[in-house]
Amino acid sequence: MRLVAIDEVAQTCSLKRGQGLAEARAMYPDIDVFDEDERADFALLEAIADWCDRYTPLVALDGKDGLFLDITGCTHLFGGEEAMLRDVLARLFQMGFYVRGSISSTPGLSSAISRFGPGGVITREDMSAALGALPVHALRLDEKAVASLLKLGLKRVANLMSMPRAPLARRFGAQLLMRLDQALGTNEEAISPRRPVASLSAERRLGEPIQTEEDILGMTAEIASSLKLSLENRGAGGKVFELVLFRVDGRVFRISAGASRPLRDPKRISGLFSERLNAIHDDLDAGFGFELLRLNVLQHDVFDDLQADFSGEERRETSLADFIDRVSARFGAGCIQVYQHRQSHIPERAEIFLPAIAAPERQPQCSETLQFLPRADRPLRLLRSPEPVEAFAALVPDGPPQQFRWRHVLHTVTRAEGPERIAPEWWIDDENAKERDYFRLESELGRLFWVFRLGRYGDDPPPTWRIHGVFA
Amino acid sequence: MAHAAAAQEKLFALREQIARLEGRSLPAMAAAKMESFVSGSSGEERLSFDIPALDDALSGGLPLDCITEIRSGSFSDAGAATGFSFSLVGLMKARKAAAGPMLWIADSFSSGEMGIPYAGGIRQFGIDPRAIFHASPRRLEDALWLAEGALESKAFIATILEVHGNPKSFGLAESRRLSLRAKAAGQPLFLLRHAGEEEASSASVRLLVEPAPALERSLPDGSMLGGSIGHPVFNITLEKSRNPAPLSFRLEWNLDDRQFHLARDPGKSSFHKWPAHSGASLSASADRQDRPKAVGAVVAFERAS
């Protein structure tokens, strides 16, 4: 067992990372040791990254203990780079984290300076000087490369920078030069943000934290109305919205809600979240309140501006979309579904469900498909899967049974229609799949069943009977 | 004087309120209704079956702004009850010529037991399945919320709420609430109760649906095709309506005309009764054009004896 991390006191006591635990115990018998919990560490880092979303939407993870924030174009909102860095560090310090940070033109240099240097803001002119003063560990190289550099006495980055490049590449591989170039900005390095960037977003910083649901919804509507103008300028409406709630103590809640049609109306947008808040009521712990609310438009679509007419038809359409959105927001998209017809003869494959929110626009649909459909009789209720029945005295080879037992009830058949043969789809099922012969069977009480025989007589194993649905 | 007039006004308002609760019409309301009828929009819509006896029992047809309960005695009659509720929607569509979506709020237990409504069968009932929204809430409370929201939104021409048995959490108070919503929205709510008992509820009409043997398929010339299974037939019992006595009807839903008919008694089923080869029922052909003609003109008939 080895030490993976040490606190400040331990650092002054000449303990080191990577040291054996037995050795450390021998030096200081009364040290406290905890097992590493990688998952908890990662969750903490993620939570801090969530919190950092307040500064920029582009937050990426740097290893196990670092974060990259791409603050291009954001600094003026926080009073410049110096002030922003101070703000980040101070707030995190108040939350109980000791954090070091720096701002520079490249992720590589920022990472190196915050981990191995003095931190702070590095201007473009100071880049090479600042990097040169650092030890070679700062270049994010693998351990083997660092060890071989140290063996040759190349302890500082400045030593490498003054050397000719070709022999360095030959000796230590391309990685060394790549890292060096990335730190100095001659080679572009992209960070990978944790979340997709919203196409539009707006936020409100609150002097007084809010706690109640009404306040949150009211604020959402207000933010949405400030988004409305930008949506109108783009001729778009939002389809997927995300409400990000930053709690005073640093916890971040994300609530997303979808709409079946592009939305702009602030009232309807806040209506979506009202259902979502209802649904997740218990999970949303307001604590001491939320200090920052942000509304993101994650997905938007073309919004058709329509002039309202005096007939009620248009209103019915919007109220339908509104209802679907509310239901989907409250119970999930799978709760309300529409039928979708598929090109198949197998009954359970011919008709499937699609979430109503994702279904294509309900335009006046082509009625030709309706006409070309088989006019054969189909049951009104289809069982989830065909259930086996015990059939008696069926006429061989292709007749209906005289009696059958389903769910322990014996039904006597008075009339029968069929068979309607449905051949298996060999391109999906199998070449050996058996065909089904469907019968409509009427029992003496007038109940009508849809029963099929799977397979043919004379086959081995013998055919079996299943029930697949009931008629009206 | 003014005081008396105010009291009169108040009394009239109360009377009107009671009448509205009971679903009856006062002379003043009747007059108002006539007015709105003249202006083109009838105030209270009723769905007429075009069967005089049934329409009379329902005082003009099925009211379309309240709860109509459709009950089946056991789960094995679920097919008939489902069919009857779909045929009511089909009748509405055929009558009003109104295109609009419909909401089916499924009960998960019933879906597991008797399957889910199948689009192929619905299409045969004369309803485009693409205009049907299928909601599958997990709990009954969610289903009630959905029904209420659907009525409130006025987005659907009909809402079918499926329940099984007589759940405690759907009692008189809940049904009263839904009934008021339906009244306010002027939208029908069909409550489809599988395997349920009769219970006090705010439904204006309750019907018990039982399956009945279907008639035979009719042929173009008006005769019946022996041994075939034709349009669905339901045994309907009016359990709760303005009519005091429970009435029973045997209705056939014509899938093609989208129309109810009184079903004749299916006394003589002809399954297996006719001989397989019933013999020639056509007259033998004679004097057809393609017969070879005798050569030459007839000069004289042959001598008979």
Side-chain angles (χ1 to χ4, degrees):
Chain A
M1 293 217 276
R2 297 192 166 272
L3 301 180
V4 285
I6 48 180
D7 66 359
E8 294 105 279
V9 184
Q11 270 169 359
T12 58
C13 303
S14 73
L15 288 174
K16 278 181 291 189
R17 275 192 194 192
Q19 206 169 18
L21 177 60
E23 189 188 341
R25 276 254 166 79
M27 289 162 73
Y28 299 97
D30 49 355
I31 52 172
D32 288 330
V33 181
F34 303 96
D35 284 343
E36 186 191 16
D37 185 350
E38 279 190 20
R39 195 173 297 169
D41 287 346
F42 184 70
L44 179 66
L45 191 64
E46 287 262 291
I48 298 176
D50 268 341
W51 179 84
C52 286
D53 272 353
R54 64 173 58 210
Y55 294 105
T56 165
L58 299 166
V59 178
L61 302 183
D62 174 25
K64 277 203 257 178
D65 54 356
L67 291 176
F68 285 126
L69 274 66
D70 187 343
I71 53 165
T72 314
C74 303
T75 51
H76 66 281
L77 299 170
F78 300 91
E81 294 177 348
E82 288 279 356
M84 183 174 185
L85 185 60
R86 261 202 312 275
D87 185 60
V88 176
L89 298 184
R91 277 173 187 267
L92 283 169
F93 184 75
Q94 281 160 13
M95 279 192 247
F97 298 108
Y98 174 63
V99 183
R100 304 188 336 175
S102 80
I103 295 180
S104 75
S105 304
T106 62
L109 184 60
S110 292
S111 164
I113 299 277
S114 15
R115 285 166 200 273
F116 295 92
V121 179
I122 309 293
T123 55
R124 197 165 264 284
E125 296 82 56
D126 299 342
M127 276 171 75
S128 48
L131 186 66
L134 299 179
V136 286
H137 302 85
L139 282 179
R140 295 180 289 165
L141 299 169
D142 53 25
E143 278 178 28
K144 227 173 96 188
V146 172
S148 57
L149 283 174
L150 289 180
K151 204 189 276 174
L152 295 173
L154 299 169
K155 290 193 176 138
R156 304 258 151 208
V157 182
N159 303 345
L160 293 173
M161 283 156 71
S162 59
M163 288 181 74
R165 291 170 66 89
L168 268 184
R170 205 161 51 229
R171 176 124 197 194
F172 300 104
Q175 195 208 14
L176 175 66
L177 287 180
M178 187 188 75
R179 287 295 190 199
L180 199 60
D181 288 348
Q182 278 178 345
L184 290 173
T186 40
N187 197 344
E188 194 71 27
E189 181 185 3
I191 64 168
S192 48
R194 298 163 57 240
R195 296 181 176 280
V197 181
S199 52
L200 273 174
S201 91
E203 65 183 35
R204 283 278 183 288
R205 277 161 201 281
L206 307 171
E208 181 74 24
I210 54 172
Q211 286 169 309
T212 62
E213 212 174 294
E214 293 82 52
D215 286 345
I216 295 173
L217 291 176
M219 196 50 71
T220 310
E222 210 173 285
I223 303 173
S225 55
S226 65
L227 268 181
K228 192 178 174 197
L229 190 68
S230 3
L231 283 170
E232 272 170 6
N233 287 342
R234 294 186 180 200
K239 281 202 82 172
V240 181
F241 295 91
E242 186 186 45
L243 182 65
V244 193
L245 300 164
F246 293 80
R247 208 164 70 179
V248 179
D249 60 355
R251 189 125 185 242
V252 179
F253 294 91
R254 288 168 189 279
I255 306 164
S256 59
S260 59
R261 304 164 124 216
L263 275 191
R264 250 183 221 171
D265 183 15
K267 229 168 119 192
R268 287 187 57 195
I269 295 173
S270 75
L272 282 183
F273 286 106
S274 133
E275 300 302 337
R276 286 295 295 149
L277 287 179
N278 262 327
I280 59 167
H281 194 263
D282 297 336
D283 297 333
L284 188 72
D285 178 11
F288 292 107
F290 301 104
E291 55 172 349
L292 173 64
L293 272 79
R294 179 184 294 158
L295 186 65
N296 290 334
V297 180
L298 295 185
Q299 222 181 78
H300 62 89
D301 212 342
V302 181
F303 185 95
D304 299 322
D305 289 297
L306 282 178
Q307 177 130 18
D309 57 357
F310 290 109
S311 75
E313 206 44 47
E314 206 261 338
R315 221 182 56 74
R316 169 168 274 183
E317 276 285 291
T318 35
S319 63
L320 177 63
D322 191 28
F323 179 73
I324 293 170
D325 294 349
R326 280 169 56 210
V327 173
S328 308
R330 193 183 177 108
F331 302 119
C335 179
I336 185 157
Q337 296 171 308
V338 287
Y339 289 98
Q340 178 86 21
H341 183 74
R342 286 288 161 96
Q343 297 283 335
S344 175
H345 289 290
I346 306 285
E348 61 265 34
R349 283 189 198 141
E351 308 287 351
I352 58 161
F353 279 120
L354 274 188
I357 199 162
E361 192 76 20
R362 287 168 293 282
Q363 69 256 65
Q365 286 134 340
C366 39
S367 54
E368 293 99 279
T369 44
L370 254 181
Q371 284 160 11
F372 288 128
L373 286 176
R375 298 285 294 168
D377 290 306
R378 288 287 175 267
L380 199 55
R381 298 189 77 120
L382 194 76
L383 297 178
R384 294 226 157 127
S385 55
E387 292 180 14
V389 295
E390 229 179 310
F392 306 107
L395 294 173
V396 178
D398 56 358
Q402 304 288 328
Q403 281 186 324
F404 68 95
R405 195 192 295 278
W406 176 43
R407 292 181 183 167
H408 310 295
V409 180
L410 188 68
H411 299 275
T412 306
V413 177
T414 50
R415 275 186 287 178
E417 275 190 348
E420 177 195 351
R421 175 161 294 181
I422 295 182
E425 295 177 333
W426 51 262
W427 56 96
I428 297 173
D429 301 322
D430 193 353
E431 270 180 65
N432 301 323
K434 293 171 179 168
E435 64 254 309
R436 305 168 175 184
D437 279 354
Y438 279 95
F439 292 91
R440 301 172 79 204
L441 302 182
E442 192 186 53
S443 78
E444 58 217 316
L445 289 171
R447 294 176 187 143
L448 205 49
F449 303 93
W450 209 35
V451 174
F452 68 88
R453 190 189 64 235
L454 191 64
R456 270 182 276 195
Y457 287 101
D459 287 355
D460 189 47
T464 53
W465 289 83
R466 308 270 163 93
I467 181 165
H468 205 172
V470 290
F471 291 87
Chain B
M1 190 67 181
H3 190 72
Q8 188 77 20
E9 183 83 359
K10 205 168 194 177
L11 184 68
F12 185 72
L14 282 173
R15 236 183 233 157
E16 206 173 35
Q17 206 170 348
I18 292 170
R20 207 175 293 135
L21 286 178
E22 290 187 339
R24 267 186 300 124
S25 55
L26 270 180
M29 289 179 76
K33 210 197 291 174
M34 184 62 83
E35 215 168 90
S36 65
F37 180 73
V38 168
S39 68
S41 63
S42 54
E44 186 185 294
E45 277 186 279
R46 281 182 178 267
L47 182 69
S48 156
F49 286 92
D50 271 353
I51 297 167
L54 182 54
D55 282 348
D56 286 350
L58 290 167
S59 50
L62 207 60
L64 283 185
D65 56 350
C66 58
I67 305 181
T68 302
E69 183 172 332
I70 296 156
R71 187 173 82 83
S72 73
S74 75
F75 260 116
S76 37
D77 295 347
T82 308
F84 187 68
S85 32
F86 271 119
S87 57
L88 285 180
V89 177
L91 187 65
M92 275 176 71
K93 288 208 170 199
R95 275 302 145 71
K96 290 164 70 183
M102 185 207 114
L103 181 68
W104 175 275
I105 304 171
D107 169 43
S108 55
F109 183 79
S110 310
S111 303
E113 196 74 5
M114 290 306 282
I116 43 178
Y118 183 61
I122 295 169
R123 195 174 289 121
Q124 279 180 333
F125 264 70
I127 303 169
D128 187 352
R130 286 169 298 193
I132 295 185
F133 288 83
H134 182 102
S136 38
R138 286 201 200 95
R139 296 174 304 154
L140 183 63
E141 287 74 34
D142 298 346
L144 295 179
W145 185 90
L146 276 167
E148 211 179 311
L151 288 172
E152 205 177 10
S153 74
K154 298 189 187 180
F156 302 99
I157 60 160
T159 308
I160 298 183
L161 172 62
E162 191 183 36
V163 295
H164 73 272
N166 300 66
K168 278 233 170 56
S169 46
F170 185 30
L172 196 56
E174 285 80 10
S175 86
R176 177 99 198 110
R177 193 183 158 98
L178 282 180
S179 159
L180 288 176
R181 276 267 182 255
K183 192 121 262 159
Q187 305 277 321
L189 173 70
F190 297 117
L191 174 65
L192 180 57
R193 192 190 292 279
H194 296 303
E197 302 285 317
E198 293 178 58
E199 69 170 16
S201 76
S202 288
S204 321
V205 178
R206 185 173 57 230
L207 302 155
L208 173 69
V209 180
E210 288 159 322
L215 304 184
E216 287 157 355
R217 288 179 196 266
S218 58
L219 293 174
D221 63 349
S223 66
M224 295 299 206
L225 179 66
S228 62
I229 306 171
H231 297 304
V233 175
F234 312 104
N235 265 337
I236 307 295
T237 309
L238 272 179
E239 288 183 335
K240 181 182 176 186
S241 66
R242 297 255 148 235
N243 205 54
L247 275 173
S248 279
F249 294 92
R250 179 165 284 203
L251 298 182
E252 179 187 49
W253 169 247
N254 191 316
L255 299 175
D256 303 322
D257 299 348
R258 296 203 277 173
Q259 171 81 40
F260 279 109
H261 298 293
L262 277 180
R264 288 174 295 103
D265 198 23
K268 14 186 201 319
S269 167
S270 42
F271 189 40
H272 292 321
K273 281 191 183 153
W274 286 356
H277 302 286
S278 55
S281 54
L282 301 170
S283 56
S285 59
D287 272 348
R288 308 233 316 234
Q289 294 99 314
D290 54 304
R291 290 187 71 161
K293 292 226 173 74
V295 182
V298 178
V299 178
F301 290 107
E302 279 175 47
R303 188 181 287 249
S305 57

